[in-house]
Amino acid sequence: MRLKELLADAGAAVVCADEDFEVRSLKIHSAEVEDGDLFFCMKGVRDDGNAHLGEVRAKSFVAVTERAPETDCAYVIVKDVRKAYALMSSAFWGHPAEGMKFIAVTGTNGKTSTAHYIASILSRAGYTAGIIGTEGHYIDGEKVGMSLTTPDSFELNELLFKMRARGVDVVAAEVSAHAIALRKTAGIKADIAVFTNLTRDHLDYFRTFEEYKAVKMSYFTPEHVKRAVVNADDPCGREILAAAERAGLPAVGYGLYSPADSFAVNVTEDMDGVRFVANLSDDIAEVRSRLMGEFNVYNLLAAMTVAHELGVSGEQLSHAASHVKGVKGRFSILRNDRGSIVIDYAHTPDGLENLLRTARSLTKSRLITVFGCGGDRDRGKRGEMGKIAARYSDLSVVTSDNPRFEDPSRIIADITAGMAGADFRTFPDRTEAVAYALSEMAEGDTVVIAGKGSEEYLDIRGRKVPYSDFDVARRWGQAR
């Protein structure tokens, strides 16, 4: 593809390169640039791609930048290099999202489950579905890769290209706050965007909660979205619904407690799962699901509302929703001869509280919680998560969860500062922590292991050390 074909929508201000330059690929890392590539000089938190132009070994490449480079090379100046990268990635792969329904799922918690539930329900309704997200990327149920929650723009559009080529009708994609802020989805207009909820997270990157909230809200405009499905029980969700109405963006609210177009009533739950009746704009669906917890009622209701917006009837939804399976690492239940072991990805205060509230309601005897907090991330949530664990648990076991370059003992101290008067133990080694919790199990107890879900590593000083909560639970707890 020639450069001038990619520049059509990129907003180039200055072109000091041959517009007939044949583009082989798009790159954002100087060490990967080869002849025929465009190198996008992105400025990050700690680095600036312009500073690495001199390291490019290729002889024939074009730099895409926001200022004239000091290095002697062909270049294009654009107003916003990140947006240009996304737009040119879409153009390079032939605007693949335009051939499918693109469902964006954003929010602090529930993105992964909701995206998987959307794909599951639509698959049973006759669609060929794709998934892009934290748990991996799937085409019609087949895992085809794994990367960031929302992949880099070039990879994202390449995935969409492959999905379209394999006959995918609809894609459910997690869109993170980082992806919105970094404009990864520029050039892809969501047919439906789902907002799950907003609670504290990522304050190591976003300076304040207000900034984090503003980024999430900025996505719900006619520029990015054709239609919205929004949690009406969430305060930020209600703001999004009001803003959508002012902007003329069609929006549907869903919830359990506030007035909404889609709502659930007669919600009951036990160790066999949840049951409820969904009213989807006066189309009724009765659901019996093996999924656990009120949070999964929200996730299912969001997914059902999306499917209903795409024309799936209440009768079809009753059948499809009742067959939805949980995502590995999202309230996954293992059992041994003493009780239940719940493994979950919850790593935010709200996520941990939802998890433990549900586990507490289903536990016959003691609730034992194993958890930690990630290193080099928001320190402010650590004590808050300690308080939540202490409130719901009979015994808390505080340990490591991706300490990165931080001392695990310091992270644990931050957590336990919020646990005064509670019964807790500390083990910097996560395997020892899980093994201890499992050894403490008595008949009727529940052990919750929170924070990693299906992750198969610990991030320690730049190394991904193999580790799995599932493997440790099976080994030390004889879980099945």
Side-chain angles (χ1 to χ4, degrees):
M1 179 174 285
R2 290 182 295 175
L3 177 61
K4 62 183 176 184
E5 296 176 79
L6 297 178
L7 290 175
D9 299 320
V14 177
V15 180
C16 292
D18 180 1
E19 292 194 28
D20 288 320
F21 178 79
E22 194 67 30
V23 177
R24 171 187 166 276
S25 188
L26 282 60
K27 301 288 176 61
I28 58 174
H29 299 295
S30 58
E32 298 176 359
V33 178
E34 300 176 357
D35 287 342
D37 288 350
L38 300 185
F39 172 44
F40 290 78
C41 303
M42 293 189 183
K43 186 175 181 181
V45 176
R46 300 183 181 88
D47 209 355
D48 185 342
N50 290 279
H52 297 278
L53 268 170
E55 301 169 8
V56 176
R57 295 184 178 181
K59 295 180 179 179
S60 176
F61 75 98
V62 177
V64 182
T65 178
E66 293 174 7
R67 64 175 188 269
E70 297 178 5
T71 303
D72 184 20
C73 65
Y75 64 91
V76 173
I77 296 178
V78 296
K79 182 179 180 180
D80 184 332
V81 71
R82 290 188 180 277
K83 186 175 182 179
Y85 178 56
L87 293 172
M88 293 168 82
S89 293
S90 178
F92 183 89
W93 290 106
H95 304 287
E98 294 177 2
M100 301 172 289
K101 294 290 186 183
F102 186 85
I103 313 300
V105 184
T106 193
T108 305
N109 297 310
K111 294 189 297 296
T112 299
S113 293
T114 301
H116 279 259
Y117 299 170
I118 289 169
S120 175
I121 289 170
L122 290 175
S123 292
R124 284 193 173 268
Y127 288 83
T128 301
I131 303 171
I132 297 173
T134 306
E135 199 54 35
H137 315 314
Y138 296 80
I139 297 177
D140 198 21
E142 176 192 350
K143 193 168 186 178
V144 295
M146 191 162 187
S147 58
L148 299 172
T149 297
T150 310
D152 152 89
S153 297
F154 190 77
E155 181 188 355
L156 173 61
N157 281 279
E158 182 181 14
L159 272 168
L160 294 173
F161 174 83
K162 291 177 179 178
M163 288 179 176
R164 186 172 68 179
R166 289 183 54 176
V168 168
D169 303 307
V170 59
V171 179
E174 295 181 53
V175 177
S176 67
H178 292 82
I180 297 169
L182 299 175
R183 293 174 282 287
K184 287 186 180 183
T185 60
I188 301 172
K189 193 168 185 177
D191 293 277
I192 300 176
V194 180
F195 175 79
T196 60
N197 50 62
L198 188 78
T199 61
R200 179 182 183 133
D201 201 10
H202 302 306
L203 297 194
D204 53 293
Y205 182 87
F206 299 101
R207 289 168 294 184
T208 64
F209 179 78
E210 288 69 29
E211 181 181 331
Y212 174 53
K213 173 183 173 182
V215 167
K216 289 286 191 184
M217 290 189 67
S218 71
Y219 189 65
F220 290 85
T221 67
E223 177 188 356
H224 305 296
V225 173
K226 296 178 184 177
R227 181 176 294 271
V229 169
V230 180
N231 182 351
D233 287 341
D234 185 272
C236 182
R238 291 192 289 274
E239 289 187 45
I240 289 173
L241 287 168
E245 184 175 2
R246 291 193 297 271
L249 173 66
V252 175
Y254 70 92
L256 275 65
Y257 305 108
S258 300
D261 305 280
S262 292
F263 57 92
V265 296
N266 300 335
V267 179
T268 61
E269 62 178 306
D270 53 32
M271 286 303 288
D272 292 324
V274 296
R275 294 176 292 281
F276 61 92
V277 176
N279 183 315
L280 308 157
S281 299
D282 294 330
D283 201 358
I284 305 301
E286 295 187 13
V287 179
R288 297 176 63 89
S289 171
R290 294 191 64 82
L291 299 173
M292 301 287 187
E294 184 179 83
F295 57 90
N296 264 321
V297 177
Y298 278 102
N299 297 337
L300 265 177
L301 188 59
M304 293 171 70
T305 303
V306 168
H308 194 259
E309 289 295 297
L310 293 177
V312 181
S313 70
E315 183 178 355
Q316 288 176 295
L317 287 169
S318 292
H319 175 73
S322 296
H323 285 80
V324 169
K325 295 180 180 179
V327 180
K328 183 180 179 182
R330 269 66 177 179
F331 213 95
S332 294
I333 300 178
L334 305 178
R335 290 187 171 88
N336 60 20
D337 57 2
R338 286 162 287 169
S340 300
I341 301 165
V342 178
I343 298 177
D344 194 273
Y345 185 63
H347 61 283
T348 67
D350 185 68
L352 186 64
E353 181 157 20
N354 286 333
L355 167 65
L356 296 184
R357 184 191 302 120
T358 299
R360 176 82 274 170
S361 70
L362 300 174
T363 298
K364 295 179 181 178
S365 187
R366 293 190 308 161
L367 178 61
I368 302 170
T369 302
V370 184
F371 77 108
C373 291
D376 301 325
R377 296 293 187 267
D378 177 16
R379 289 186 66 187
K381 72 178 183 181
R382 295 174 184 173
E384 188 176 345
M385 290 178 69
K387 290 179 183 177
I388 291 166
R391 184 184 315 139
Y392 289 97
S393 309
D394 297 288
L395 171 65
S396 298
V397 183
V398 187
T399 187
S400 292
D401 181 347
N402 294 338
R404 300 182 178 87
F405 290 92
E406 205 171 339
D407 181 354
S409 298
R410 175 185 170 181
I411 300 171
I412 290 170
D414 286 343
I415 295 170
T416 56
M419 303 179 72
D423 187 4
F424 66 87
R425 308 288 187 275
T426 63
F427 293 87
D429 183 286
R430 191 173 179 95
T431 298
E432 291 182 10
V434 174
Y436 173 78
L438 295 171
S439 73
E440 286 291 302
M441 281 187 80
E443 186 175 351
D445 287 352
T446 298
V447 171
V448 170
I449 308 171
K452 296 196 66 62
S454 63
E455 285 183 353
E456 296 186 344
Y457 64 86
L458 285 167
D459 190 338
I460 303 173
R461 305 200 68 79
R463 292 177 59 239
K464 290 192 173 181
V465 179
Y467 172 86
S468 165
D469 281 338
F470 283 89
D471 290 346
V472 176
R474 291 187 178 106
R475 179 181 177 186
W476 293 96
Q478 290 76 53
R480 53 193 181 278

